[in-house]
Amino acid sequence: MSTPIQSHNSIEKPAVDPDNISPAISVLAATIVPEWPRNWKAYAALVSGFFMMFNCWGMVNAYGAFMGLYDEHLLTKSSDLELSLVGSTESFLLLLPSIFAGRLLDARRHYYLGFTGFLLLFLGYFLLSFTGGQGQKDQGNYGLVWITSGLMAGLGMTCFFTYSSHNVIQWFPRKRYIAAGITSTGAGAGGIIYPLALKFLVARFGFPTGVRILSAVVAGTTLIAFILGAPCKDVPRRQVGSVFNFSTWIDKQAFRNKSYTLYVIAVALVYGGFYSIAFHVTEWAEVKGFGTDEDIPGGTGEQPGASGFRTFWFLTIMNGASIIGRLASAVFATHLSNPIVVHTATCFLASLLAFFWWPFAANNAGAIAFCTLFGILGGSMLSLPASGVAYLIPDERHSHVGQWTGMMWSSVSIFALIGPLIAAALQRRFGMDAVGYWCGATMLLTTVLLAASVWLKRKEDKGSTTSTLVGEGEKRGEQTPAVIV
């Protein structure tokens, strides 16, 4: 009886499941990297990332409280569109320079970004305290408010934003979705603490002193983030080439990847829609009669201690609930090994809430329930994009993950700028319900684009796996033919 004898090189390899292809960093991690890092610097980086998110998106999430203060007290003559521009400028500048920040992170220039972020954020909010005169009604200077809290603070935020997710994903290769989720809870925590701190400090000490104390909190927490945010040296370093070279900042392969391109458009729509509601939720609560504004010294005429639920609590509830969404989405993304599936589901549910709950909430209980549920979904939607890029990027480009992530955020920035402005224009023309319809429409379109991105990714993985297996089979057949004896 004849039997084929095969050499060692021709032994059959196990079949590859094309629906469960992980990036190269996961393949490496599964063989030589422990499930949880053993270096204390990894956990220090986790704390650092938390405080970075606390002071970038946490402060953006808190802008609704600042906007309420400007609208009712310091800048009552400024339009809703003008006040929305300050917050959307923060979002825009937080995201736009990410294309440079991501590439610098790949080159391990972490500390340059960290120190710049610390300096700009502290100075932005410290100087904001001088824009309101003595803190009396209508003493605010809109142009100076925009320059300090919009322009200067926004540029400081961008130094921390990409840094936070990029660093923890590299320190936690096998738990990168969980680590990114924990880091992103800083945004929810900042969205709770900063509105409460602003209300308390301004009511107790007045606008100038209150905001100076707030800037000290910003300085202290950003300094902690700067000190603890050591880069992971196990990941290869990509040197920065000429700053005038297009390829230094832009990886042309990125937008040739269809799944990545669709994902970037989808994330842009998320930021164009979600913050429309976040910026208007306190005004919505007042218009609908769900709450009253807090008075501050020399303020709006609202009686201190008057009965009624305070409008700023709706924003605080939304930001607090987002922490649940950020952690839950990280767990589901890890379990499914696919953050974009989780992203798709949350965007669809958010669209239903915006379409059918925001316009028709009838009482305080319904408004609180809306803020809680929308906050949970919003936390998920806003925490997943960096993990989505790590999932989508091809194996051979994984050393470019910071660059691809930065390119995504820079592309998203224009929508983060104009989305709340469109919502403000719609609100002025058609009423507060239009803000919900705008958000619902963007979330629904996002759902379709995310589903298409997942489908294309799986299609690309199947094609890549089939080609690899055929190539390896041909190679084995040429080098080690069977011998019949």
Side-chain angles (χ1 to χ4, degrees):
M1 179 177 180
S2 298
T3 57
I5 297 178
Q6 297 177 322
S7 71
H8 173 73
N9 290 333
S10 65
I11 295 174
E12 287 290 335
K13 294 186 177 181
V16 178
D17 179 7
D19 288 330
N20 194 27
I21 301 297
S22 298
I25 192 170
S26 295
V27 176
L28 178 64
T31 57
I32 64 173
V33 178
E35 188 172 11
W36 291 97
R38 296 171 184 170
N39 190 331
W40 68 270
K41 290 182 179 180
Y43 300 94
L46 203 60
V47 175
S48 169
F50 174 89
F51 281 117
M52 288 179 187
M53 292 296 287
F54 184 86
N55 285 294
C56 56
W57 283 116
M59 195 60 87
V60 173
N61 290 339
Y63 179 69
F66 283 90
M67 185 171 170
L69 174 64
Y70 300 148
D71 184 43
E72 298 292 338
H73 185 63
L74 288 177
L75 298 168
T76 61
K77 297 178 182 178
S78 297
S79 69
D80 189 60
L81 187 65
E82 290 173 323
L83 297 178
S84 294
L85 180 61
V86 178
S88 59
T89 298
E90 284 183 351
S91 302
F92 173 69
L93 293 177
L94 190 160
L95 295 169
L96 180 64
S98 294
I99 193 169
F100 306 109
R103 183 63 187 88
L104 292 172
L105 289 167
D106 284 341
R108 215 177 291 159
R109 298 290 193 269
H110 295 64
Y111 289 121
Y112 295 100
L113 286 171
F115 181 74
T116 303
F118 158 73
L119 197 62
L120 287 173
L121 265 172
F122 166 64
L123 287 177
Y125 283 100
F126 179 74
L127 294 176
L128 176 64
S129 67
F130 296 96
T131 65
Q134 297 301 311
Q136 300 301 309
K137 190 170 183 178
D138 283 329
Q139 286 190 348
N141 184 309
Y142 175 80
L144 293 179
V145 168
W146 182 86
I147 290 171
T148 54
S149 68
L151 178 62
M152 188 177 294
L155 289 173
M157 291 172 187
T158 195
C159 297
F160 284 136
F161 174 47
T162 306
Y163 187 165
S164 63
S165 59
H166 179 276
N167 211 27
V168 297
I169 284 174
Q170 293 191 332
W171 273 113
F172 293 83
R174 295 187 66 181
K175 295 292 183 180
R176 61 186 182 274
Y177 301 143
I178 292 287
I182 292 172
T183 296
S184 72
T185 61
I192 297 171
I193 292 172
Y194 279 130
L196 294 176
L198 179 70
K199 288 289 184 180
F200 172 78
L201 293 171
V202 171
R204 182 73 180 271
F205 302 106
F207 180 80
T209 303
V211 174
R212 282 174 205 140
I213 296 172
L214 197 71
S215 71
V217 176
V218 171
T221 50
T222 52
L223 188 60
I224 292 171
F226 170 65
I227 293 171
L228 297 180
C232 179
K233 295 183 179 179
D234 294 335
V235 178
R237 177 177 181 175
R238 292 179 59 223
Q239 294 290 350
V240 178
S242 170
V243 295
F244 302 106
N245 193 332
F246 180 82
S247 62
T248 297
W249 311 108
I250 304 293
D251 185 354
K252 291 185 288 187
Q253 294 296 322
F255 290 108
R256 293 174 184 170
N257 185 301
K258 295 178 182 178
S259 58
Y260 172 82
T261 302
L262 286 179
Y263 189 66
V264 170
I265 298 171
V267 173
L269 290 171
V270 167
Y271 279 81
F274 174 81
Y275 280 101
S276 301
I277 280 184
F279 288 172
H280 286 86
V281 68
T282 56
E283 185 181 359
W284 169 75
E286 183 183 7
V287 169
K288 294 282 188 176
F290 302 141
T292 57
D293 282 317
E294 189 89 40
D295 190 33
I296 62 175
T300 62
E302 190 78 43
Q303 291 297 317
S307 61
F309 198 82
R310 302 304 186 188
T311 55
F312 79 89
W313 280 110
F314 291 97
L315 177 64
T316 305
I317 290 169
M318 184 179 291
N319 287 328
S322 74
I323 295 175
I324 301 173
R326 293 170 192 276
L327 292 174
S329 63
V331 172
F332 283 118
T334 300
H335 178 71
L336 298 173
S337 298
N338 190 333
I340 305 181
V341 169
V342 181
H343 210 169
T344 305
T346 55
C347 285
F348 178 68
L349 293 174
S351 71
L352 296 181
L353 287 180
F355 273 131
F356 301 113
W357 203 321
W358 172 274
F360 303 113
N363 51 42
N364 279 38
I368 292 170
F370 170 84
C371 290
T372 302
L373 294 174
F374 196 78
I376 292 172
L377 295 173
S380 175
M381 291 186 294
L382 300 176
S383 67
L384 288 170
S387 298
V389 174
Y391 170 78
L392 288 173
I393 192 168
D395 292 359
E396 66 274 10
R397 309 299 291 180
H398 217 279
S399 63
H400 297 242
V401 66
Q403 190 174 26
W404 281 41
T405 305
M407 290 166 60
M408 173 188 68
W409 291 129
S410 293
S411 301
V412 166
S413 63
I414 187 64
F415 290 86
L417 175 66
I418 66 174
L421 300 183
I422 292 173
L426 291 172
Q427 184 268 334
R428 184 170 57 182
R429 178 74 182 271
F430 301 107
M432 189 60 69
D433 290 350
V435 175
Y437 295 134
W438 163 253
C439 177
T442 58
M443 293 300 105
L444 191 60
L445 181 55
T446 298
T447 302
V448 175
L449 292 172
L450 289 173
S453 179
V454 171
W455 179 77
L456 284 172
K457 171 63 176 173
R458 290 180 173 176
K459 185 178 178 182
E460 291 165 3
D461 285 344
K462 287 180 181 180
S464 175
T465 304
T466 302
S467 300
T468 301
L469 292 176
V470 170
E472 289 181 352
E474 291 176 350
K475 185 176 180 181
R476 289 197 301 270
E478 292 170 359
Q479 293 181 349
T480 58
V483 179
I484 307 298
V485 297

